C-alpha cells in the first residue's frame, strides 16, 4: 500500500535569497525555471486531496520565503486545501517591515490553522553578521523578532521561534541565543550545519567542533528542557541534542527515517525529493501526477534504501523529531544514560 504522507517537511516557495550565508549557497543559485504559480499550487493540493488527507504540518522555506510577493496567498491556499494544523515559515529576518506586514495579513486570513515563524539567529552581532554574510543582519533579525513578538500578543494562534545553525565558530553562543529568544518569548531550536549537494549546495565545514565547548553548550539546553518540561516529556529533546553532538562530530545516530514515506520536499519548480539532503528526485508535478511518482518503482526503491540506512543522513528538526518519537530503543537508551548519569551524582546532568 502506498504510504500516506503526514507532513510536507519542506516546501521551498522560492530559491531567491537576500542573505549571503557561509553555511549555504542557495543565494548563488540561478535558474531560468519558473516558480510554481498559485494556480499550480492550488491544483496540486486539490488533485491530491485524498492522498494528502493525513498531512498536519508543512514548513515553507526558501531561499527567503518573504521575497515571494504572494506568500500570503500561498498560505491561504494551503489552509483551504489541506487538513493542516500548523504552517511554519522560516525566515532570515532581513526584511522586518515586510515580514511583519505579510505575517499580519496571513494571520488575519487564517481561520483554523496555527501559524509559526522561525527567525534565524546565529550568535552575537559579530558572529551572526559574519555567518550570514550581511552587515547589519543581526539588528534586522532583532527588529523582526520585536515586530513578530508584538503580533504574538495579538494572535493567540501564532507561534514565534528562534532557530540557530550551529557551526564551529558559534558553538559557544547557544546560551546567548537562547537568552535572546526568551527576551521575546520565542521558543528556541538549533541544528548543526547540514550538507546537501542540491539544496544547500554546500560542503561540510572542515573545522572541528571543540568537544568540551559543544557539550557544555548543549548541556545548558538539555538542563533547561528537563527543568521546564520534566524528564519524561523532555526525552525527545534530549535524544535530539545527543544527535546534534554526534552529528557535529561526524557520527551517525539516525536509526529511523521516514522520508519519502511520511514526508517529502518540493522545490520551487515542482520537483519532489525525499528530503532536502537526499538528491534522488522522484519526479516533477508538471510532468506527471504526484500519485504516479509517489507510487513509482523509483519511489519504492528510494524508500528501501532509506529504510536500509543508505541515505546521506541528516540532523535537522523538521526531519528528525517525528522519527525520534518512533525510535523506542533510542529513547530508552537515552533515558537509561541520563538516569545513570544522575544516579552517579555527576554534577553536570547532560552529556
Amino acid at each position: 500500500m502506498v504510504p500516506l504522507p503526514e507532513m510536507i517537511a519542506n516546501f521551498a516557495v522560492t530559491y531567491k535569497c537576500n542573505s549571503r550565508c557561509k553555511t549555504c549557497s542557495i543565494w548563488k543559485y540561478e535558474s531560468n525555471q519558473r516558480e510554481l504559480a498559485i494556480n499550480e499550487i492550488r491544483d496540486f493540493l486539490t488533485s491530491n486531496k485524498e492522498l494528502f488527507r493525513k498531512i498536519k504540518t508543512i514548513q515553507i522555506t526558501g531561499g527567503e520565503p518573504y521575497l515571494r510577493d504572494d506568500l500570503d496567498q500561498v498560505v491561504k491556499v494551503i489552509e483551504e486545501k489541506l487538513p493542516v494544523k500548523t504552517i511554519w515559515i522560516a525566515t532570515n529576518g532581513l526584511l522586518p517591515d515586510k515580514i511583519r506586514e505579510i505575517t499580519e495579513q496571513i494571520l488575519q486570513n487564517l481561520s483554523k490553522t496555527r501559524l509559526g515563524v522561525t527567525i534565524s539567529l546565529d550568535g552575537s552581532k559579530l558572529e551572526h553578521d559574519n555567518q550570514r554574510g550581511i552587515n547589519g543582519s543581526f539588528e534586522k533579525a532583532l527588529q523582526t523578532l520585536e515586530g513578530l513578538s508584538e503580533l504574538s500578543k495579538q494572535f493567540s494562534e501564532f507561534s514565534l521561534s528562534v532557530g540557530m545553525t550551529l557551526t564551529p565558530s558559534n558553538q559557544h553562543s547557544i546560551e546567548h541565543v537562547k537568552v535572546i529568544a526568551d527576551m521575546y518569548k520565542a521558543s528556541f531550536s538549533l541544528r548543526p550545519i547540514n550538507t546537501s549537494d542540491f539544496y544547500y549546495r554546500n560542503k561540510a565545514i572542515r573545522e572541528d567542533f571543540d568537544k568540551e565547548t559543544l557539550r557544555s553548550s548543549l548541556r545548558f539546553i538539555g538542563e533547561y528542557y528537563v527543568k521546564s518540561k520534566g524528564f519524561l516529556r523532555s526525552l525527545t529533546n534530549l535524544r535530539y541534542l545527543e544527535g546534534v553532538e554526534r552529528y557535529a562530530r561526524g557520527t551517525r545516530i539516525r536509526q529511523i527515517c521516514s522520508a519519502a514515506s511520511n514526508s517529502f520536499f518540493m522545490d520551487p519548480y515542482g520537483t519532489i525529493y525525499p528530503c532536502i539532503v537526499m538528491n534522488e528526485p522522484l519526479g516533477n508535478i508538471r510532468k506527471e501526477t504526484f500519485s504516479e511518482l509517489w507510487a513509482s518503482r523509483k519511489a519504492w526503491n528510494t524508500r528501501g534504501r532509506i529504510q536500509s540506512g543508505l541515505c546521506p543522513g541528516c540532523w535537522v528538526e523538521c526531519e528528525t523529531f517525528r522519527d525520534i518519537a518512533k525510535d523506542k530503543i533510542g529513547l530508552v537508551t537515552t533515558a537509561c544514560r541520563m538516569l545513570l548519569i544522575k544516579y552517579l551524582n555527576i554534577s553536570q546532568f547532560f552529556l
Side-chain angles (χ1 to χ4, degrees), residues 7 9-10 59 189-192 194 200 235-245 247 251-259 262-263 274-277 311-328 330-331:
M7 68 183 299
N10 286 285
Q59 173 163 269
S189 64
L190 79 160
R191 82 285 317 160
N194 279 251
Y200 296 120
L235 264 182
T236 53
N237 300 94
L238 295 175
R239 182 69 175 171
Y240 177 77
L241 291 176
E242 281 189 296
V244 169
E245 193 256 350
Y247 186 90
T251 303
R252 188 186 179 105
I253 187 175
R254 192 85 175 266
Q255 301 298 322
I256 297 175
C257 179
S258 57
N262 278 11
S263 66
C275 62
I276 58 176
V277 301
C311 65
C314 74
W315 203 258
V316 290
E317 311 98 297
C318 56
E319 294 287 351
T320 54
F321 262 100
R322 69 167 188 269
D323 294 328
I324 287 175
K326 301 172 185 176
D327 184 9
K328 304 303 181 185
L331 288 174

Side-chain angles (χ1 to χ4, degrees), residues 12-61:
V13 294
T14 185
Y15 277 154
K16 296 173 184 175
C17 191
N18 50 352
S19 189
R20 297 294 181 264
C21 297
K22 295 181 178 179
T23 56
C24 161
S25 295
I26 290 177
W27 57 272
K28 297 179 182 179
Y29 184 69
E30 295 183 5
S31 175
N32 56 8
Q33 297 184 72
R34 178 174 50 85
E35 294 173 356
L36 292 171
I38 281 292
N39 65 311
E40 291 179 292
I41 297 172
R42 181 183 292 107
D43 291 345
F44 167 65
L45 299 177
T46 302
S47 61
N48 293 288
K49 184 176 181 180
E50 182 63 22
L51 193 56
F52 291 164
R53 67 183 185 272
K54 289 189 175 183
I55 290 182
K56 301 301 181 187
T57 306
I58 177 171
Q59 173 163 269
I60 295 174
T61 186

Side-chain angles (χ1 to χ4, degrees), residues 115-184:
L115 177 72
V117 174
T118 299
I119 302 168
S120 298
L121 198 62
D122 292 336
S124 66
K125 180 181 185 301
L126 182 64
E127 291 164 341
H128 180 85
D129 285 4
N130 179 60
Q131 188 153 299
R132 294 284 157 174
I134 300 287
N135 290 333
S137 59
F138 179 81
E139 294 300 330
K140 289 182 178 178
L142 291 189
Q143 290 173 31
T144 301
L145 260 172
E146 184 174 358
L148 295 189
S149 179
E150 290 299 316
L151 285 183
S152 68
K153 299 173 185 177
Q154 301 173 38
F155 297 91
S156 60
E157 66 277 17
F158 179 52
S159 298
L160 182 59
S161 175
V162 168
M164 181 179 185
T165 298
L166 194 63
T167 65
S169 62
N170 70 0
Q171 60 184 319
H172 58 281
S173 295
I174 294 177
E175 184 173 351
H176 177 70
V177 177
K178 174 66 171 61
V179 169
I180 294 176
D182 289 344
M183 286 172 53
Y184 292 97

Side-chain angles (χ1 to χ4, degrees), residues 263-314:
S263 66
F264 61 91
F265 162 57
M266 185 163 70
D267 78 4
Y269 319 113
T271 300
I272 304 296
Y273 296 85
C275 62
I276 58 176
V277 301
M278 190 172 187
N279 194 1
E280 292 282 346
L282 305 181
N284 188 285
I285 62 170
R286 283 172 167 162
K287 298 178 180 178
E288 56 189 312
T289 66
F290 181 86
S291 58
E292 289 173 337
L293 63 87
W294 195 245
S296 67
R297 176 175 296 181
K298 184 172 186 178
W300 281 111
N301 288 340
T302 300
R303 290 181 192 113
R305 291 201 302 279
I306 291 172
Q307 291 166 11
S308 298
L310 299 179
C311 65
C314 74

